Amino acid sequence: MSVPLTALPDTARVWIYGTDRPLASPEREALMADLRAFVDEWTAHGAALRAGVEWVEDRFAVIAVDEASAPASGCSIDAMVRRLAALETRLGCSLLDGTRVFYRDESGAIEGCNRAAFRAHAASGTIVESTPVFDPTIERLAELRAGELERPVARSWHLQLTGHPAGRS
């Protein structure tokens, strides 16, 4: 059962998928319509999931589920990933590439690149500790609401990619 993200508790589990490129308005509308239809019918072991989907920062699809009402199962998560894979094919974009790193460039635009390119940008000084990065690995709606999706490199796991001594284990 689809609900607005604002109706879900802070404890709701989230999955965040970034597109490898900005989507044109018709593409974005098609993506969100498809994801809303999926969430409307999303179940786990026959139980309807109380879930929502939202487009954030004009680059990220956020899917959240209130696991207090019914927890997402492995099969239900697999169904979500299959739906996203079908959307990738239909829209000609990447949503499931977990190696992509997102950051804001100096103009404020959101850029995405692979980890090797991110390291190279850090080595060249294009990316510094104050550069805003996006962390699609956050797990709870409370983190999204607290602004943890976007934060400076220095306060993110991305620091380990920069070669900065504080980021080394």
Side-chain angles (χ1 to χ4, degrees):
M1 138 183 51
S2 179
V3 298
L5 259 52
T6 55
L8 295 173
D10 282 346
T11 57
R13 185 172 177 189
V14 296
W15 294 267
I16 301 173
Y17 299 97
T19 58
D20 63 333
R21 62 177 175 79
L23 298 181
S25 184
E27 293 173 312
R28 189 174 50 255
E29 290 167 14
L31 171 75
M32 293 308 294
D34 194 283
L35 288 177
R36 280 188 203 97
F38 171 76
V39 167
D40 279 340
E41 299 175 359
W42 198 16
T43 62
H45 302 294
L49 295 175
R50 187 169 178 255
V53 61
E54 191 172 302
W55 186 246
V56 177
E57 293 290 339
D58 207 26
R59 196 67 179 258
F60 303 95
V62 176
I63 301 170
V65 64
D66 178 5
E67 292 191 304
S69 60
S73 65
C75 292
S76 66
I77 295 167
D78 288 347
M80 174 181 59
V81 171
R82 281 192 303 275
R83 187 68 161 255
L84 288 162
L87 282 165
E88 283 184 326
T89 300
R90 192 170 106 207
L91 297 173
C93 69
S94 173
L95 290 158
L96 296 170
D97 180 359
T99 65
R100 186 161 301 281
V101 178
F102 296 95
Y103 65 95
R104 277 197 200 275
D105 68 15
E106 291 178 359
S107 74
I110 298 174
E111 298 292 335
C113 62
N114 63 35
R115 291 176 186 208
F118 188 84
R119 284 185 192 99
H121 290 315
S124 73
T126 303
I127 290 176
V128 296
E129 288 187 18
S130 61
T131 301
V133 291
F134 293 86
D135 185 1
T137 67
I138 62 176
E139 297 180 351
R140 298 289 163 200
L141 196 51
E143 294 171 279
L144 182 68
R145 290 174 174 156
E148 293 299 311
L149 175 61
E150 182 178 4
R151 56 189 154 185
V153 166
R155 288 194 318 103
S156 174
W157 64 264
H158 297 79
L159 184 62
Q160 67 188 336
L161 299 177
T162 66
H164 186 277
R168 293 187 184 161
S169 308

